Amino acid sequence: MNRLLNQPITDPVLIFAITMLIFLIAPLLMAKLRMTGIIGLILAGLIVGPNGLGLLERDQTILLLSTVGLLFIFFIAGLEMDLDGFKKNRHSSLTFGTLSFIVPFILGSVASYFIGYPLLAAILIGSIIGSHTLLAFPIASRLGVSKNRAVTTTVGGTMITDTAAFLILAIVAGAANGIINAEFWITMIVSLIVYVLAVFLIIPRLSRFFFRTLGSEGNSEFAFVMTVLFITAFGASLAGIEPIIGGFLAGLAMNRFIVEHGTLMNRIKFVGNSIFIPFFLLSVGMLVDLKVLFTEVQTWKVAAIVVTFVILGKFLAAYITGKFYGYSKAEKILMFGLTVPQAAATLAATLVGYDLGLLDEAVVNAMIIKILITCLIGPYLVEKYSKVIAFLEEQKPQKSSATPERLMVPVANPKTLPSLLDLAFIVRGTSKEPLYALSVAQSGEGTSDSLARAEKVLNHAVSYGAGAEIPVQTLTRVDQSISAGMMRAMEETRITTAVIGWNGKLSTPQRIFGGVLDHLLEHTRQTVLVTKLESPINTMKRLVVIVPSGFTHKPGFYTAIDMIKTLSRELGIPIHYMIINDDIEWYKKAYRTSKANTTITFEKFDSWGVFHKEISLLKRDDLIFLLSARRGTLAWNPNLEDAPRLLAKNTVLSFIVLYPPEDEHVDTRGTKGMEVPKAVLGSYE
């Protein structure tokens, strides 16, 4: 027992238990504060490390796992490089990438040299702030502007900045270990050329042979990739350059063979993001010394330099490139927002310089300050100006999909079954596909009883459908969680729309409706209707549609309009639009070509606050139809999460919340260890 209480802790099981707890909690806490998980892991390292509580020591085990994490960062950076995108936009990408690196590199190097750092250290500091991490790229993807010319230029330019930064790191590291003379340069250049040629000639051929003939099992494929990574990294050290450069080159060489959204890439990122990269970030946090941070003037000098010149340099690069190629103001700022964040790659290069003795603790602390500031600025600007660009782009009707329209109704409560099915029958329209009724039982004790009860409810659904002459196909699933079973059923049967009931109750940790629905919305892209029907749907007298700002530019805008028209026509009731802080003309335009004789009225509210005052005026026979959006996508607003709660407080109101279909996937290139916290599971009705 005394051995466990001694500090630093030496028991390997307890050390691993503490680190896993940190890896679990730190990103979740940062997500609550709307900050990147990187900061949380670094702060955790500061707290439990030798300069904090002293619970853990930065020993050989931590250093080993940290080194592996370092290699993973650079390897994934190579795998994530968009080679095709760079080729398509090579001129603008080359211009922007060169400027984005050169401008902050020169400014940072000169300023660092003048405050007293040796030439090699100053050059390394300049190269570090010249690179960037596409931390906010998933935001642009979620908001539908990933194909915008400014974004593609930025992604292509990243290849230039990262390659230049890694090359200078290799030169500086080599120079730090030897004498800078003609022999040094010849030896380094020759060995570098031979090594690079060997990597790009051997690895692609070896990979092609392996994946075609031997790579049938996932385990063997992953083992092969790891073997290539670490052998290439070791070969880099033999060639006189840093192993992380070898990791980056290995990623570039295997870029074509590992699909971005494939199983193998998922395994690589899972292992790296779950274990090794967090160990690297934790070890960096252990280097931070608060005493140095608050007592050394040098730390704040360096912090002022790196923060000022990374912001100034990236802004000038975006402005000059945008001016030359005719980009709009919003596109220029979007390019700046995408390139200003500095994250894991910055820490990796900083740690290499620290281990080589070129950089001191003041630089390490300054880089962490820079990461904190830039990771707050970048995502904010990307979210704001991605919306500006998305709203300016002309919205076009969605093309018809080859996937047949299939509708699913998860059922659990016999009392709500009729109202759910009535709504589903209307939404289904003239589809020739059967209606799918689903019941999910959680695996474990009592599964058989749960399935028996589920079958009774499903039989009621079949009988109810038969009465309306609509075929109902039953589905049962057994899974660890209700939401997982629902998602599996939607994927297996290619469901396009789900109609789900909600009882209006919330528990403390749940976000909008309850854990199951939150989880389902987070992990699906299909149309989802969440309903709370207090009266039979055929007794409604008016369809009140609540519209948030920006909904006209969502991919599912026309899907929502068609569904509203169908409901109004089938129920024979007028439509009243309540539009919040948006242009009414968009909606009038959408209905001008409609042949329906429905009476349509429009009402505009300048803010959500004004709208909230009007909720009390809604009547029992109003069917409320709230057009919503998934968290983080275009048109999402925090008030959309409060609206169902406010409506649910009025127990006589019946409402439907529509989440329209989203794009197939969100591109997460450049996240490098960022994880979105998962919702808490709850119940559905």
Side-chain angles (χ1 to χ4, degrees), residues 323-366:
K323 195 77 173 176
F324 185 77
Y325 288 98
Y327 291 175
S328 67
K329 176 184 175 182
E331 288 174 326
K332 294 173 190 174
I333 299 177
L334 179 59
M335 293 170 68
F336 167 65
L338 285 169
T339 54
V340 75
Q342 309 269 300
T346 294
L347 287 175
T350 303
L351 190 61
V352 171
Y354 180 81
D355 292 338
L356 290 171
L358 293 173
L359 306 179
D360 53 18
E361 288 185 352
V363 175
V364 175
N365 288 320

Side-chain angles (χ1 to χ4, degrees), residues 64-242:
L64 170 63
L65 297 172
S66 171
T67 301
V68 175
L70 194 60
L71 290 174
F72 261 89
I73 289 172
F74 281 78
F75 180 59
I76 292 174
L79 292 178
E80 288 181 329
M81 284 293 179
D82 187 3
L83 302 180
D84 291 329
F86 176 73
K87 288 180 180 179
K88 292 176 182 177
N89 302 278
R90 56 184 178 274
H91 298 299
S92 58
S93 294
L94 186 61
T95 301
F96 176 67
T98 302
L99 288 173
S100 185
F101 178 79
I102 290 294
V103 176
F105 168 69
I106 293 175
L107 293 174
S109 298
V110 172
S112 301
Y113 182 75
F114 274 106
I115 65 170
Y117 282 96
L119 180 61
L120 285 179
I123 291 174
L124 183 56
I125 292 173
S127 69
I128 289 172
I129 67 174
S131 65
H132 59 257
T133 301
L134 290 175
L135 183 74
F137 184 85
I139 298 174
S141 178
R142 280 195 294 268
L143 295 175
V145 298
S146 60
K147 303 300 181 183
N148 180 272
R149 57 181 181 173
V151 179
T152 55
T153 294
T154 304
V155 173
T158 301
M159 185 174 179
I160 302 297
T161 59
D162 287 1
T163 302
F166 297 160
L167 182 60
I168 289 181
L169 176 62
I171 294 172
V172 169
N177 293 321
I179 302 174
I180 303 179
N181 52 31
E183 182 181 354
F184 163 78
W185 286 109
I186 292 172
T187 302
M188 195 191 80
I189 292 172
V190 170
S191 62
L192 186 61
I193 291 174
V194 171
Y195 172 73
V196 171
L197 288 175
V199 168
F200 286 103
L201 289 175
I202 295 174
I203 291 179
R205 288 172 170 78
L206 186 63
S207 299
R208 186 174 289 107
F209 169 77
F210 179 85
F211 289 119
R212 282 182 177 177
T213 59
L214 303 175
S216 58
E217 285 206 17
N219 291 341
S220 61
E221 288 181 347
F222 183 79
F224 170 74
V225 171
M226 292 298 100
T227 302
V228 170
L229 167 60
F230 290 104
I231 289 179
T232 307
F234 179 71
S237 61
L238 296 179
I241 57 178
E242 282 297 307

